[in-house]
Amino acid sequence: MYRVNYTARLLTHVLAPLLTFDCHSDRYLYKTAKSLPWEKLISLDTTFAIEANVSGSRIRHSQYAAQKLKDAIADRFREISGKRPDVDPRNPDLWLNLYVHNNKATISAETSGGSLHRRGYRVASVAAPMQETVAAAIIKYSGWKGERPFYDPMCGSGTLLAEALMHACRVPAGYLREKFGFMRLPDFEEGLWKKVKRDCNKQIKPITPGLLRGSDISGDAVEAAKENLQRLPGGEQVKISKRPFQKIDSLKDTVIICNPPYGMRSKNTREAGALLDEFGKFLKERCGGAAAYIYLGNKKLIKDIYLQSSWKKPINSGGLNGYLVKYKIR
Ligand SMILES: C[S@@+](CC[C@H](N)C(=O)[O-])C[C@H]1O[C@@H](n2cnc3c(N)ncnc32)[C@H](O)[C@@H]1O
């Protein structure tokens, strides 16, 4: 696996030692930031944006701090060349992070180019999609590596299926990402990057047809899951159908991973509990020899599955204090 640490090189060569500095006022932030050689890092055709985080400091507002840093960069460029690079707050070529803590500022360049949980395969969604990285963590916790059949009986937009596919077939997490922040850094070597990418992609394995399957009661969810899976290599081999789990004949000796509806409001929680009761019976009666890993977004729901669990792991995500629970079905 390659790990190209452009930030480290950047900090040493371009901006050090001023990247971390005392910062007791917005004026000092502006003045120090303006003295940095931004023209060595950002070219006029590079768009940039700033994400700021401020705590325990005289500067109190993150957005204001970001604005000051943006002004400093823009003013420096204007003074040097009469022009300035554009700010693109949504999809910039380069994200800069400003962190002010206890009156010390740190500025760093974000080399990923946006949050890495966005893999890029989710083009269609459903009401409560799971975050890609949470799904990836669940697959890892389950220990599944592609040796036994896998089934998600409430697949929604197919996130668990997509992450299972990527895991078993060694599809790199950034496979679909076309733009990384490090591509706009001055020492970016396109040839080296292409080689790294080629080498990683060569390790992608074909998927055994029928290894991964899923279903959902909702036709829209099934369509979304198919569309998303198709973006990944081997995704067309994942069998997805519209059907309630109550209509699945059997899932014997299968690894079952899913996240059933968890119900945010109390009426929905009661409904979610009743559905889990039914799901527990389905596992017991029709899934002999299976291992089931159920992610429940609400701890109270664990008691609704009347089965003895092997283990429970807390997984917090997106404001949910969820649990992944393993059941071994005899
Ligand atoms: C929390 S969502 C799953 C989200 C999914 N993991 C994703 O990333 O998009 C729960 C799913 O369970 C489905 N569902 C609810 N009742 C069902 C049933 N009886 N049989 C099958 N699927 C059901 C819903 O349609 C919904 O897509």
Side-chain angles (χ1 to χ4, degrees):
M1 197 65 188
Y2 295 83
R3 237 171 228 277
V4 188
N5 193 341
Y6 284 103
T7 315
R9 286 163 67 183
L10 177 85
L11 301 189
T12 331
H13 293 283
V14 183
L15 295 176
L18 281 175
L19 272 184
T20 296
F21 52 89
D22 287 333
C23 179
H24 287 86
S25 72
D26 56 326
R27 279 177 51 207
Y28 195 73
L29 170 65
Y30 174 85
K31 200 172 140 212
T32 313
K34 198 174 159 207
S35 72
L36 295 169
W38 293 105
E39 61 285 0
K40 290 191 186 164
L41 177 68
I42 306 172
S43 60
L44 278 169
D45 65 346
T46 300
T47 57
F48 73 102
I50 294 162
E51 200 179 320
N53 206 304
V54 170
S55 64
S57 301
R58 284 215 192 141
I59 300 180
R60 289 177 183 281
H61 299 290
S62 301
Q63 267 190 331
Y64 183 64
Q67 181 71 33
K68 281 281 148 194
L69 177 55
K70 190 213 83 185
D71 289 349
I73 297 172
D75 291 351
R76 180 175 175 100
F77 268 96
R78 265 198 221 97
E79 275 176 24
I80 290 173
S81 62
K83 292 181 193 150
R84 47 157 290 191
D86 287 332
V87 170
D88 178 350
R90 260 192 289 223
N91 189 22
D93 296 321
L94 188 64
W95 275 104
L96 294 173
N97 290 326
L98 168 65
Y99 178 60
V100 187
H101 179 59
N102 288 345
N103 297 312
K104 259 201 186 317
T106 301
I107 304 173
S108 55
E110 207 265 72
T111 51
S112 312
S115 187
L116 287 174
H117 81 264
R118 292 203 190 96
R119 310 277 205 235
Y121 56 71
R122 187 178 285 156
V123 283
S125 195
V126 293
M130 179 172 258
Q131 196 176 84
E132 295 92 318
T133 37
V134 173
I138 289 174
I139 304 296
K140 278 230 163 181
Y141 271 144
S142 77
W144 183 81
K145 291 192 179 73
E147 60 299 339
R148 286 174 77 189
F150 177 115
Y151 201 107
D152 179 349
M154 300 186 222
C155 70
S157 63
T159 318
L160 285 159
L161 289 167
E163 292 298 326
L165 171 71
M166 292 176 86
H167 183 60
C169 299
R170 297 199 207 129
V171 179
Y175 178 79
L176 293 167
R177 184 174 284 243
E178 282 170 4
K179 193 162 132 181
F180 288 87
F182 60 74
M183 290 173 163
R184 299 308 294 234
L185 298 183
D187 53 358
F188 172 61
E189 291 170 36
E190 193 167 356
L192 174 62
W193 167 240
K194 282 190 173 153
K195 180 178 165 4
V196 168
K197 220 176 154 180
R198 228 177 11 250
D199 288 353
C200 284
N201 289 350
K202 262 193 222 151
Q203 296 187 31
I204 298 176
K205 295 195 304 184
I207 183 177
T208 315
L211 182 74
L212 279 166
R213 289 177 300 152
S215 49
D216 198 285
I217 197 168
S218 146
D220 287 347
V222 168
E223 285 316 307
K226 283 184 178 167
E227 212 181 323
N228 294 338
L229 262 302
Q230 267 168 22
R231 307 255 303 144
L232 292 168
E236 68 292 343
Q237 301 288 354
V238 181
K239 300 275 168 275
I240 305 170
S241 54
K242 176 177 179 294
R243 117 186 22 176
F245 70 78
Q246 295 89 335
K247 290 269 167 71
I248 299 173
D249 288 342
S250 89
L251 291 177
K252 291 196 192 313
D253 302 317
T254 301
V255 173
I256 300 166
I257 307 188
C258 65
N259 82 300
Y262 45 84
M264 291 290 268
R265 276 173 258 142
S266 57
K267 175 175 165 274
N268 297 350
T269 309
R270 276 198 303 281
E271 277 171 19
L275 191 79
L276 284 175
D277 177 34
E278 246 187 287
F279 189 55
K281 286 180 187 138
F282 163 78
L283 290 174
K284 195 170 166 195
E285 289 162 14
R286 286 184 251 167
C287 306
Y293 300 83
I294 317 294
Y295 179 74
L296 299 165
N298 179 344
K299 192 180 179 185
K300 287 186 194 146
L301 292 170
I302 298 178
K303 66 173 178 8
D304 292 312
I305 300 186
Y306 292 103
L307 290 173
Q308 175 83 45
S309 65
S310 307
W311 50 248
K312 305 180 187 89
K313 289 186 197 297
I315 300 182
N316 299 341
S317 146
L320 289 180
N321 297 324
Y323 272 80
L324 179 66
V325 189
K326 176 180 179 183
Y327 301 95
K328 245 183 138 193
I329 320 294
R330 294 183 202 288

